[in-house]
Amino acid sequence: MATNESISIFSSASLAVEYVDSLLPENPLQEPFKNAWNYMLNNYTKFQIATWGSLIVHEVLYFLFCLPAFLFQFIPYMKKYKIQKDKPETWENQWKCFKVLLFNHFCIQLPLICGTYYFTEYFNIPYDWETMPRWYMLLARCFGCAVIEDTWHYFLHRLLHHKRIYKHIHKIHHEFQAPFGMEAEYAHPLETLILGTGFFIGIMLLCDHVILLWAWVTIRLIETIDVHSGYDIPLNPLNLIPFYAGSRHHDFHHMNFIGNYASTFTWWDRLFGTDSQFTAYIEKMKKVEKKTE
């Protein structure tokens, strides 16, 4: 009975979204995107698209999304939004981070990306334009991937902080107490594999088109670079997402090496009380701000 009610609710919600979608004006970018997509399919093999296409998407988006926070360090006005003002970025740390990133991206992640083609072939994941899901279905599946990844990340990240494990693996990621955007994937190779598994679980369960791979990569990179940016920007649209953790939440984790273990949402930390120190810290900061007004 409950299952039928759930199906009915989801069906009604889907119909409502489809109705709203039908009222929206036609997307002027849809036709150019369709032409570009079909050009890609006609000129490159599935292996090239799944492998080199995925690599290009990851590399271009990663460093593109890192660019704003990187530029902030040169803009005096943005210093007031830096969370740990007493720990500015240094060229030495950023160069060290960049070199480790190149190793992780091309020696750890690229071999994994090479398996993308075989994954899509084994599960018959389509590439064609005709079966590409609508934007709202794509967002819904990306949200599902985010919930799955966040759950995996919370428990495995918390495990990596165990005193017997921490110094061997996760300590590398905490080398920079004040995080900066490019540091998001600065980690021990084992950590890249362990925490990165959460990214692929959602894909294995929810992927119905190769576009979901790239959409989920995009959303995950936006999120992880944002929380590592080291800046709390007032009008950040990501803060409109319910239960979104944000940069201040994760910055506290780097500052204190404890609590706030989730990657995207706050519910697991709230449920297990691992955000209690962060909550107390925020309340203390609010009192200090009131006194200074």
Side-chain angles (χ1 to χ4, degrees):
M1 183 68 179
T3 302
N4 291 334
E5 289 180 358
S6 298
I7 293 174
S8 178
I9 292 172
F10 283 119
S11 179
S12 299
S14 178
L15 288 172
V17 173
E18 287 180 10
Y19 175 71
V20 172
D21 181 53
S22 68
L23 298 177
L24 296 175
E26 186 176 347
N27 184 355
L29 298 177
Q30 182 170 333
E31 194 62 29
F33 179 60
K34 178 182 178 180
N35 294 335
W37 189 269
N38 286 327
Y39 176 86
M40 179 184 71
L41 293 178
N42 293 331
N43 290 274
Y44 299 97
T45 66
K46 286 185 177 181
F47 179 83
Q48 290 173 323
I49 294 169
T51 305
W52 307 119
S54 297
L55 178 66
I56 291 170
V57 166
H58 179 271
E59 294 306 304
V60 171
L61 293 182
Y62 187 88
F63 291 105
L64 180 65
F65 295 153
C66 287
L67 187 59
F70 176 77
L71 295 176
F72 288 165
Q73 64 184 308
F74 306 112
I75 304 174
Y77 177 79
M78 298 306 297
K79 289 182 179 179
K80 65 180 180 179
Y81 298 122
K82 184 164 175 59
I83 300 169
Q84 297 187 55
K85 295 180 175 61
D86 59 330
K87 297 182 179 68
E89 301 91 335
T90 66
W91 284 107
E92 181 184 0
N93 286 345
Q94 290 175 100
W95 176 240
K96 182 179 181 180
C97 178
F98 181 71
K99 289 186 291 185
V100 172
L101 282 178
L102 291 182
F103 174 82
N104 283 348
H105 285 185
F106 292 97
C107 298
I108 306 299
Q109 295 182 13
L110 179 56
L112 296 176
I113 291 173
C114 286
T116 303
Y117 166 73
Y118 302 100
F119 165 76
T120 59
E121 286 296 291
Y122 184 80
F123 289 101
N124 294 318
I125 305 298
Y127 288 65
D128 60 294
W129 174 265
E130 287 70 26
T131 59
M132 188 179 292
R134 296 287 296 169
W135 62 268
Y136 49 85
M137 293 304 298
L138 202 58
L139 282 180
R141 289 178 182 272
C142 283
F143 176 74
C145 288
V147 171
I148 293 169
E149 190 282 332
D150 183 69
T151 302
W152 176 272
H153 191 101
Y154 175 84
F155 292 103
L156 272 295
H157 182 195
R158 191 171 177 181
L159 177 64
L160 289 176
H161 272 269
H162 190 280
K163 60 183 180 181
R164 292 185 178 180
I165 303 174
Y166 176 79
K167 64 181 180 180
H168 300 294
I169 302 175
H170 193 52
K171 185 178 180 179
I172 291 179
H173 184 67
H174 278 277
E175 186 174 331
F176 308 121
Q177 194 172 358
F180 46 90
M182 193 166 55
E183 192 215 355
E185 293 185 350
Y186 179 86
H188 189 287
L190 277 178
E191 179 175 341
T192 300
L193 294 173
I194 292 168
L195 296 185
T197 300
F199 173 90
F200 292 104
I201 294 174
I203 288 295
M204 292 179 68
L205 295 175
L206 301 174
C207 190
D208 61 346
H209 194 281
V210 73
I211 192 66
L212 179 66
L213 290 165
W214 295 352
W216 171 221
V217 165
T218 303
I219 289 175
R220 179 68 180 119
L221 288 180
I222 290 173
E223 179 276 325
T224 191
I225 292 169
D226 175 60
V227 301
H228 284 92
S229 68
Y231 290 84
D232 187 17
I233 309 300
L235 299 178
N236 186 343
L238 294 176
N239 292 330
L240 298 175
I241 301 173
F243 302 103
Y244 180 67
S247 57
R248 191 169 288 277
H249 184 272
H250 194 69
D251 206 280
F252 181 85
H253 174 78
H254 275 263
M255 186 167 33
N256 296 277
F257 307 102
I258 192 171
N260 294 6
Y261 298 111
S263 60
T264 307
F265 304 108
T266 57
W267 49 58
W268 288 115
D269 282 298
R270 290 183 183 180
L271 181 63
F272 290 99
T274 47
D275 67 342
S276 57
Q277 291 188 31
F278 173 68
T279 303
Y281 167 77
I282 292 298
E283 290 300 319
K284 181 180 177 180
M285 293 301 294
K286 287 181 179 178
K287 290 180 181 178
V288 171
E289 289 175 359
K290 284 184 179 180
K291 288 182 180 180
T292 56
E293 287 178 355

